[in-house]
Amino acid sequence: MGYPLQDSSPFSGYTCLTSLAARARIGAQHKASKLSKKLDQWSPSKMDDPQEAWLPITESRKGNVVTAVFHLLSSGIGIQALLLPVAFATLGWAWGAICLFLAFTWQLYTIWILVQLHEPIPGISTRYSRYLQLAIAAFGPKLGKLLAIFPVMYLSGSTCIMLIIKGAGVMKLLFKLMCEGGATCDAESLTGAEWLLVFTCMAIALAQRPNLNSIAGFSLVGALSAIGYCTLIWVLPISKDRPSGVSYDSLKVESSMAGMLDVLNANGIIVLAFRGHNLVLEIQGTLPTSLTNPSKRTMWRGVSVSYMIIAMCQFPLAIAGFWAYGNKIPPNGGMLTAFFQFHGHDTSKFAKGLVCLLVVINCLSSFQIYAMPVFDNMEFRYISMKNRRCPWWVRVGFRVFFGGLALFIAVALPFLPSLAPLIGGITLPLTLAYPCFMWILIKNPHQKGHAAEWCLNLGLGCLGIFLSVLLVVAAAWDLSNKGLQASFFKPHL
């Protein structure tokens, strides 16, 4: 029963107003509580574009810290890390370690930026679950596509092609090891193209999982296999005698220009050893989010754990690999070639076979996560035209088509890994520069009095672009001097 509006007491009006204010405050708190509960139970698949729930990357938002760690490890550790001792052979102990630490810190900072920008305003339905989406939001539709679409598609598609080439080559090596001395099997029974076909068929057969979250098991296998062979490949050599004549002096060059180019190529090897930036936003897109627990918290916990493990794999690999082989490290094959060349004779058949098997498993598993953005883009084109979910048979057709296209390019251009430094330099801003510029354009730190953040990101972004130009020039100069051994349609694994 409420207070009367008319009363003879001089305090009755004040009492009435106080009561009404209290009731209004309680009502507002109740409404705010209900709204908070609704927002806390916010389902991104309902508030996002409805088509997001039809695409492989954002179809399932049920990921967690553990699945994020699996994906980050599978995409962050790879065969490119086996070339790190090659960079040390040019830079030496001190500068090699310094450059490796700086590159690791720099790329970890840009990952932090991407994690923060995935969901710029927590509680709002906008989530940038693809690198291209974030680039368009920061740079605009035309410039964003121009800057990001080529490096993103290159890093996804060409990485899958290189995994096919490398995986098929190691599979052939494993077959030779297992058939050595056998009377019933012939190590030369398959040609290079046939080994590429075998590996591609296995990769596409595994690539039929519907979405990114559903391949967490493959990412776990890929992460464990990568950690396994990265550890074995440096533990086994340091447990044995070093090759005679190992030197740790920097290689002598004919001119200062050649020396500078070698230093740039060595830094390019270090920078390109840290990959996976084009998948960070996609991995975070598999995580649920709410006002009380935004996805950036979960994702950063996953990044912290995974990159601690990545550092524990790559730093010992670079240092121990250079200690074991010094300047004798082969510039093309890196640690894997050096291991079989110098310690193949005094290492057990089981250990050599295990290393090869882990590399093949990792290539098959990494193929799944790197191919997912390509599958997502293909299905996006379909649902944009049809305005309905992609049927299973169309999805299978897309994946078989991509596998066939990747196989054709691997057979037609078996020398593609030789172009990795050149194309890698072109795509380098994707890792080191673009995230810094995106932070400036989206967060506008200079308008909020955070001049230090603005200067830091502007400086790192410009430095990343400058480094990319230098690496492209160095790679092109190196190719012009040494020549490119191009053998079309003649894969020799």
Side-chain angles (χ1 to χ4, degrees):
M1 186 173 179
Y3 290 98
L5 295 178
Q6 300 291 335
D7 197 285
S8 58
S9 171
F11 299 103
S12 61
Y14 174 77
T15 304
C16 180
L17 290 174
T18 303
S19 176
L20 290 174
R23 291 182 180 181
R25 185 169 62 253
I26 293 173
Q29 291 175 349
H30 180 65
K31 291 180 179 180
S33 176
K34 291 176 65 178
L35 180 61
S36 176
K37 290 180 180 179
K38 288 182 179 180
L39 288 175
D40 191 50
Q41 297 173 352
W42 164 47
S43 172
S45 61
K46 294 180 181 178
M47 295 188 70
D48 285 343
D49 185 340
Q51 291 184 347
E52 291 286 278
W54 299 345
L55 295 172
I57 288 176
T58 50
E59 186 176 41
S60 174
R61 304 271 201 184
K62 298 179 181 179
N64 51 46
V65 176
V66 176
T67 59
V69 169
F70 295 163
H71 291 318
L72 288 166
L73 287 174
S74 182
S75 61
I77 308 177
I79 54 178
Q80 77 286 342
L82 300 179
L83 293 174
L84 284 173
V86 178
F88 273 59
T90 301
L91 299 173
W93 286 111
W95 283 111
I98 291 172
C99 291
L100 182 61
F101 175 78
L102 291 177
F104 178 80
T105 306
W106 190 350
Q107 60 88 32
L108 189 60
Y109 172 69
T110 54
I111 287 180
W112 177 83
I113 290 177
L114 293 176
V115 170
Q116 301 300 313
L117 294 181
H118 171 87
E119 192 179 2
I121 305 176
I124 304 300
S125 60
T126 301
R127 293 181 68 180
Y128 300 113
S129 300
R130 296 160 187 85
Y131 198 103
L132 183 59
Q133 290 177 341
L134 183 60
I136 291 173
F139 301 117
K142 294 183 179 180
L143 185 59
K145 291 180 180 179
L146 179 65
L147 293 176
I149 194 167
F150 170 73
V152 168
M153 288 298 104
Y154 167 78
L155 284 176
S156 296
S158 68
T159 300
C160 291
I161 296 169
M162 292 185 183
L163 287 171
I164 290 174
I165 296 173
K166 190 65 178 180
V170 179
M171 186 181 292
K172 180 180 179 180
L173 179 60
L174 176 62
F175 183 77
K176 286 185 176 181
L177 284 173
M178 296 298 102
C179 289
E180 184 179 1
T184 58
C185 59
D186 183 4
E188 299 295 335
S189 60
L190 296 180
T191 64
E194 290 169 339
W195 280 113
L196 292 171
L197 176 62
V198 171
F199 183 89
T200 304
C201 291
M202 295 174 64
I204 293 302
L206 295 174
Q208 302 306 316
R209 300 295 297 169
N211 53 64
L212 181 57
N213 193 49
S214 66
I215 64 170
F218 292 150
S219 294
L220 170 61
V221 174
L224 293 177
S225 59
I227 294 171
Y229 76 72
C230 282
T231 303
L232 285 174
I233 207 71
W234 67 263
V235 169
L236 291 174
I238 66 173
S239 64
K240 303 177 183 298
D241 295 332
R242 285 178 292 177
S244 59
V246 170
S247 173
Y248 304 111
D249 297 329
S250 299
L251 295 174
K252 295 181 180 181
V253 293
E254 298 178 356
S255 64
S256 58
M257 175 62 73
M260 185 181 68
L261 294 176
D262 287 343
V263 169
L264 288 174
N265 286 325
N267 280 282
I269 291 173
I270 291 176
V271 171
L272 296 177
F274 302 105
R275 62 180 190 176
H277 278 59
N278 62 312
L279 293 171
V280 170
L281 294 171
E282 285 80 354
I283 294 170
Q284 191 171 351
T286 65
L287 304 178
T289 189
S290 66
L291 283 177
T292 57
N293 188 27
S295 63
K296 63 182 180 182
R297 292 183 185 175
T298 307
M299 185 64 180
W300 186 245
R301 287 197 293 268
V303 170
S304 301
V305 173
S306 59
Y307 273 81
M308 185 183 302
I309 299 174
I310 290 173
M312 293 171 62
C313 289
Q314 296 191 351
F315 278 80
L317 176 62
I319 296 171
F322 184 53
W323 180 88
Y325 300 116
N327 288 335
K328 289 185 175 292
I329 188 84
N332 294 326
M335 283 292 291
L336 190 63
T337 302
F339 173 69
F340 280 93
Q341 179 179 343
F342 296 110
H343 291 110
H345 63 283
D346 58 354
T347 303
S348 67
K349 186 177 179 180
F350 172 79
K352 292 186 291 185
L354 179 60
V355 171
C356 292
L357 179 62
L358 291 175
V359 172
V360 172
I361 293 174
N362 175 253
C363 290
L364 287 170
S365 302
S366 297
F367 182 95
Q368 312 307 316
I369 190 169
Y370 273 95
M372 196 58 69
V374 181
F375 300 155
D376 184 87
N377 187 57
M378 288 180 172
E379 294 189 27
F380 172 75
R381 304 299 176 188
Y382 178 87
I383 67 173
S384 297
M385 292 187 296
K386 300 293 185 179
N387 196 27
R388 60 187 177 92
R389 187 185 294 271
C390 190
W392 70 267
W393 56 272
V394 175
R395 174 174 286 181
V396 172
F398 281 150
R399 302 185 181 196
V400 172
F401 170 77
F402 172 72
L405 180 62
L407 173 64
F408 174 78
I409 297 175
V411 174
L413 308 174
F415 56 89
L416 191 62
S418 302
L419 300 176
L422 178 63
I423 309 298
I426 298 175
T427 60
L428 184 65
L430 197 78
T431 301
L432 300 183
Y434 292 167
C436 299
F437 293 134
M438 291 173 182
W439 178 269
I440 292 174
L441 294 172
I442 293 178
K443 292 291 187 178
N444 294 318
H446 62 290
Q447 297 182 1
K448 302 176 183 179
H450 301 289
E453 293 182 11
W454 187 84
C455 292
L456 174 64
N457 286 287
L458 181 63
L460 289 178
C462 293
L463 182 60
I465 297 294
F466 180 68
L467 181 61
S468 174
V469 173
L470 289 180
L471 292 180
V472 170
V473 171
W477 189 285
D478 189 60
L479 284 175
S480 65
N481 286 338
K482 297 180 180 179
L484 178 63
Q485 301 297 326
S487 55
F488 297 94
F489 295 96
K490 293 181 180 179
H492 299 289
L493 302 178

